[in-house]
Amino acid sequence: MNMHDVVIIGGGPIGIACGLEAQKKGLDYVILEKGPIVNSLFNYPVNMQFFSSSEKLEIDSIPFISKEAKPKRDEALEYYRRIVTSNTLNINLFEKVSTVTKTGDSFSIVSDKKTYTAKNVVVATGFYDLPNYLNIPGENLPKVSHYYKDPHFYAGQKVAVIGASNSAVDAALECYRKGAEVSLVIRGPEIGQRVKYWVRPDIINRIEEGSIKAYYNAQVTKITDEEIIIHNQKNEIVHLKNDFVLALTGYMPNFEFLEKLGIRLSDDEKKLPSYDPETMESNVDGLYLAGVICGGMETHKWFIENSRIHAKVIMKHISKNKSMAVD
Ligand SMILES: Cc1cc2nc3c(=O)[nH]c(=O)nc-3n(C[C@H](O)[C@H](O)[C@H](O)COP(=O)(O)OP(=O)(O)OC[C@H]3O[C@@H](n4cnc5c(N)ncnc54)[C@H](O)[C@@H]3O)c2cc1C
C-alpha cells in the first residue's frame, strides 16, 4: 500500500490550503472529503454573504475577486473550486473517514471506500456537521431544521427562528422579506454583538417597527405540530402558532471523532483540543489540527482569515521532519 507523507481529512478552505501547501513542498498527499469541494460552504444559505472581505479569504495569495468587498457564497464556491481544479489538487470527494489508528510511526486511515496509510494526518473537519441541539420535546419534528437554505420556501408561512447570531439574523431578515411571518426567540437580552455590523441595525429596526416579533430572555421549551412553547425570565409562558422552526443555535466539532483519534480535550466546557500552536501538531505525534476545529466549542475563535496560516505551519513542520528522517 502506498505510504503517503500526509492524509488531509476535510476539503474545506483550510483542508484545501493544506493540500496546496503540501503540493508546493513536494509532499505525497491526498485530501479526503466526505462531500463536494468545500462542503460546508456549499451547504450555507444560498444568499449568504461573508463577514470577511475577499482578500482575507484568499489561500496562498491567489487573488479572490468579488463584485462587492465581501463576497457571497457562490463567489466563494467559484474561488475554492478553481483553486482545486487549476492546481489539480489530489482530492477524493464523497469519501468519509471513519477511523484513524496509529501503529508504530504510521497511521491507518479508513474511509467508506478505502484504507490509506500515511506518516502524518491533518484533521481539518470544521464544525458545520453537528448542530447544538436544544434537547427539547418536538425537536425531531419535520417542521424543525437546524440548517437554513432559501427564504422562498417560507413565503406565506409562520416561521420561528431560534438564535441571535449571524445565521439566525440573516434567516429572519430574508424570510421576512420574502413574505414570511417571522418571530425571533432570543435566549439573551439583545441581538448578538458579533452580528455583521451592517446587518445588526437592520434587524434591530425591523424588530422596533414590529415587522419581526422578538422574544428576548426567552427559551423554547417544547415544539408541537402547531406551535412552539416559550418560557421567559419571568416564567411567563407563550404559545406561538407556527408552521416552521429554524433552530439556528450554532454548531460544534465532532468531539467523539477527535477523541477516537486520541486527541486530548480540555476538561472545561470549551473542550479545546490539545495542540502545539508553533506547529499545530496535536498530543499525538504526526497528527495535526487545522482550521476552525482548533477552537473546540469556541467556534467563533478560528475562521478562514486567521486559520489559513495553519497550512503553511503544518506543511513546513512535516517537510522538515521528512528531510531530517532522510538525513
Ligand atoms: C454561516 C457562516 C458564515 C461564515 N462566514 C465566515 C467569514 O465571513 N469569514 C471567515 O473567515 N469565516 C467564516 N465562517 C467560518 C468559516 O466558514 C469557517 O471558518 C470555514 O468553513 C472553516 O474552514 P475549515 O476548512 O476549517 O472547515 P470547513 O469549511 O467546515 O471544512 C471541513 C470539511 O471537512 C469535511 N469533513 C468533516 N468530517 C469529515 C470526515 N469524517 N471525512 C471526510 N471529510 C470530512 C466537511 O464535509 C467539510 O467540507 C462562517 C461560518 C458560517 C457557518
Side-chain angles (χ1 to χ4, degrees):
M1 204 185 291
N2 179 24
M3 173 72 76
H4 295 282
D5 289 322
V6 54
V7 165
I8 298 153
I9 310 173
I14 308 306
I16 288 171
C18 288
L20 191 62
E21 193 60 25
Q23 186 162 290
K24 280 175 61 183
K25 295 258 183 233
L27 296 169
D28 179 336
Y29 75 96
V30 59
I31 306 170
L32 304 178
E33 165 54 56
K34 74 181 174 74
I37 299 168
V38 291
N39 187 31
S40 300
L41 275 60
F42 175 74
N43 285 304
Y44 286 173
V46 283
N47 303 318
M48 177 256 180
Q49 183 168 30
F50 283 83
F51 57 75
S52 308
S53 48
S54 53
E55 76 279 2
K56 299 249 171 76
L57 302 174
E58 285 171 358
I59 291 177
D60 200 33
S61 305
I62 299 169
F64 181 172
I65 293 143
S66 59
K67 276 204 275 188
E68 293 173 47
K70 294 167 194 300
K72 300 267 175 71
R73 164 189 168 274
D74 55 348
E75 294 175 305
L77 293 182
E78 289 295 327
Y79 176 71
Y80 294 114
R81 191 184 67 249
R82 282 301 296 274
I83 288 185
V84 169
T85 54
S86 302
N87 293 282
T88 49
L89 290 190
N90 190 22
I91 181 166
N92 294 350
L93 300 169
F94 298 97
E95 185 166 347
K96 183 176 181 176
V97 173
S98 52
T99 54
V100 178
T101 42
K102 190 170 186 193
T103 314
D105 61 356
S106 68
F107 293 89
S108 171
I109 302 102
V110 180
S111 80
D112 49 9
K113 294 192 177 153
K114 214 172 137 179
T115 298
Y116 299 79
T117 54
K119 289 273 173 212
N120 302 280
V121 172
V122 177
V123 181
T125 47
F127 61 67
Y128 202 54
D129 286 336
L130 293 177
N132 289 324
Y133 289 105
L134 302 166
N135 296 316
I136 56 169
E139 194 171 11
N140 293 330
L141 286 171
K143 72 178 203 177
V144 182
S145 177
H146 295 87
Y147 294 89
Y148 161 73
K149 197 76 188 169
D150 191 327
H152 175 84
F153 185 80
Y154 301 101
Q157 299 295 293
K158 291 185 172 57
V159 181
V161 180
I162 306 172
S165 59
N166 275 304
S167 300
V169 167
D170 282 352
L173 285 169
E174 284 193 357
C175 291
Y176 154 68
R177 295 209 158 97
K178 298 293 177 206
E181 189 183 313
V182 177
S183 310
L184 196 52
V185 185
I186 301 164
R187 199 172 43 182
E190 60 174 11
I191 294 292
Q193 287 295 337
R194 278 194 287 267
V195 169
K196 291 171 272 200
Y197 66 83
W198 67 97
V199 176
R200 201 166 184 274
D202 190 6
I203 186 73
I204 289 170
N205 289 339
R206 300 295 73 73
I207 292 169
E208 280 176 6
E209 73 185 16
S211 303
I212 292 176
K213 169 92 178 142
Y215 297 85
Y216 293 104
N217 299 307
Q219 264 178 301
V220 177
T221 50
K222 188 174 175 185
I223 304 171
T224 68
D225 284 326
E226 287 84 32
E227 60 181 20
I228 59 172
I229 294 153
I230 304 170
H231 279 68
N232 69 14
Q233 251 181 353
K234 296 178 202 147
N235 248 336
E236 291 159 342
I237 299 173
V238 179
H239 289 254
L240 187 66
K241 287 236 167 297
N242 83 325
D243 303 300
F244 290 101
V245 177
L246 287 168
L248 303 176
T249 47
Y251 305 91
M252 62 172 156
N254 188 341
F255 294 113
E256 201 187 318
F257 183 67
L258 292 182
E259 283 184 314
K260 255 180 19 188
L261 267 54
I263 295 172
R264 271 197 307 270
L265 304 176
S266 66
D267 289 336
D268 51 13
E269 75 284 355
K270 292 181 186 166
K271 296 192 173 191
L272 291 170
S274 160
Y275 65 90
D276 175 354
E278 298 291 315
T279 61
M280 303 311 293
E281 193 172 27
S282 73
N283 56 288
V284 181
D285 284 354
L287 184 57
Y288 296 79
L289 294 167
V292 293
I293 197 155
C294 299
M297 284 302 283
E298 293 192 299
T299 49
H300 58 274
K301 197 170 163 191
W302 292 101
F303 31 99
I304 301 169
E305 286 193 43
N306 63 359
S307 67
R308 55 189 173 167
I309 185 71
H310 294 167
K312 288 197 186 297
V313 170
I314 293 169
M315 295 310 154
K316 187 174 166 199
H317 196 240
I318 290 177
S319 48
K320 188 173 140 214
N321 286 348
K322 186 181 174 183
S323 56
M324 273 162 50
V326 171
D327 292 345

